[in-house]
Amino acid sequence: MSDIADRVKKIVVEHLGVEEDKVTETASFIDDLGADSLDTVELVMAFEEEFGIEIPDDAAETIQTFGDAVKFITEAA
Amino acid sequence: MFDLTGKSALVTGASGGIGGEVAKALHAAGAKVALSGTRVEPLEALAAELGERAFVCPANLSDPASVEALPKAALEAMGSVDILVNNAGITRDNLFMRMSDEEWASVIDVNLTASFRLMRGVLRPMMKARWGRIVNITSVVGQTGNPGQGNYAAAKAGLTGMSKSLAYEVASRGITVNCVAPGFIATAMTDKLNEEQKAKILTQIPAGRMGAAEEIAAAVLYLASPEAGYVTGTTLSVNGGMAMI
């Protein structure tokens, strides 16, 4: 697994308090990992800080799963 | 009780009567305070009076760019913003049928839209800290209406609804959002009234006197304190019984 994926996973695990093996490629933050809408905003904020990037609101809306997050950050970082 | 040591507070309208007393009360409880307002001189005088832990952050709340910059300036000055007191407010009174679009818009811009932008601006650090206190100064006029103040009453009632909505969103993050609704308080804003107007108002106040800015500050201090952590989305009326809502 790439370094980016590891770091994203760490944030998700810490923030949502879920088991690491639940954070799969297709795991949806809201449907599978129990996030509410505010959690998703906070996750995006955490990604921005961890990777020093800006994630605009319209892009943030497309980040629904762990895989989406890794893909977006890989392209942006 | 009500110890704010280690907390940082941004107070708008700190050059005014109520805002100045709010800043003093929060500072006396141990908080760092960022004093905001349009007039720099009274802010600097207040900062000098308070001494340590006081910072001057001028802003023009009718200018969106200036509003956006304010939370950042306060964050830079104090290192964090744990408490926001939206106190700044203007009046442009006129009878409804004579009220211009400009009079309407200027009051909504400063009293409502600037408060929205400042709340949005301080939320990120508060969310990260899992602690925050937002106190919006509204008015009895927003609860009861007042002839000649359609714009002001709309802005203040709007602030109340906005506060409640945000209170829902961030309650689980340790952030509370409340309002303090002053009645008639002796300040420069109410000094403009003549004796006859004042006497008439006093007949409607069960306490039989105007309030003091310190009495508003005490309510703000409570809502900003750790002890008020279970109070959110509410309005604390401080009006001598003028409107028991």
Side-chain angles (χ1 to χ4, degrees):
Chain A
M1 188 178 280
S2 72
D3 168 54
I4 286 177
D6 281 343
R7 286 157 73 192
V8 171
K9 183 174 281 190
K10 186 159 177 279
I11 290 170
V12 173
V13 166
E14 274 176 13
H15 192 87
L16 299 178
V18 291
E19 296 294 329
E20 205 174 315
D21 57 8
K22 294 265 197 305
V23 187
T24 59
E25 185 77 13
T26 56
S28 156
F29 295 126
I30 290 177
D31 296 333
D32 301 318
L33 301 176
D36 64 19
S37 54
L38 195 57
D39 286 318
T40 62
V41 174
E42 287 188 292
L43 280 174
V44 166
M45 278 166 41
F47 298 152
E48 287 180 331
E49 285 189 14
E50 172 72 19
F51 297 98
I53 55 173
E54 284 272 334
I55 305 178
D57 287 347
D58 53 344
E61 281 170 25
T62 67
I63 301 176
Q64 305 282 337
T65 66
F66 172 66
D68 292 341
V70 173
K71 182 164 178 284
F72 183 89
I73 293 162
T74 305
E75 283 164 10
Chain B
M1 292 244 277
F2 310 152
D3 181 10
L4 298 180
T5 305
K7 302 294 185 195
S8 299
L10 168 59
V11 181
T12 67
S15 51
I18 291 176
E21 289 303 327
V22 167
K24 284 183 202 171
L26 300 180
H27 186 268
K32 291 183 201 171
V33 290
L35 311 168
S36 189
T38 42
R39 292 172 294 135
V40 177
E41 266 176 42
L43 296 177
E44 282 183 343
L46 179 56
E49 184 188 330
L50 295 177
E52 283 178 24
R53 293 184 282 113
F55 307 87
V56 173
C57 296
N60 175 5
L61 297 188
S62 58
D63 170 12
S66 180
V67 176
E68 293 287 345
L70 179 54
K72 294 182 190 113
L75 199 60
E76 241 167 63
M78 301 188 291
S80 69
V81 179
D82 309 295
I83 300 161
L84 168 66
V85 182
N86 276 313
N87 163 75
I90 59 167
T91 55
R92 294 283 182 274
D93 297 355
N94 210 340
L95 288 174
F96 216 96
M97 292 180 72
R98 294 186 185 281
M99 186 170 291
S100 68
D101 285 358
E102 197 279 329
E103 286 166 336
W104 169 265
S106 60
V107 168
I108 298 294
D109 282 352
V110 171
N111 297 12
L112 184 60
T113 309
S115 298
F116 156 69
R117 291 194 172 112
L118 292 176
M119 287 155 77
R120 188 177 58 185
V122 300
L123 276 173
R124 182 182 278 242
M126 287 181 180
M127 297 257 288
K128 281 186 69 179
R130 290 287 188 272
W131 200 94
R133 297 284 184 269
I134 297 175
V135 182
N136 294 317
I137 307 300
T138 58
S139 168
V140 65
V141 163
Q143 301 165 308
T144 63
N146 197 29
Q149 292 200 303
N151 49 2
Y152 187 77
K156 293 301 191 182
L159 204 45
T160 307
M162 180 166 65
S163 301
K164 291 178 182 179
S165 301
L166 178 60
Y168 267 109
E169 290 187 22
V170 297
S172 65
R173 303 305 197 265
I175 303 169
T176 68
V177 189
N178 291 289
C179 298
V180 171
F184 278 88
I185 308 300
T187 64
M189 202 186 263
T190 49
D191 267 354
K192 287 186 247 170
L193 302 168
N194 63 38
E195 287 307 313
E196 193 187 342
Q197 287 172 310
K198 281 185 189 167
K200 197 174 163 203
I201 288 164
L202 287 180
T203 65
Q204 293 162 22
I205 303 175
R209 65 172 176 89
M210 292 179 93
E214 291 86 345
E215 291 170 310
I216 304 305
V220 174
L221 173 60
Y222 166 62
L223 292 171
S225 72
E227 283 80 358
Y230 204 51
V231 180
T232 195
T234 196
T235 294
L236 181 47
S237 289
V238 183
N239 62 25
M242 184 180 175
M244 301 189 190
I245 303 167

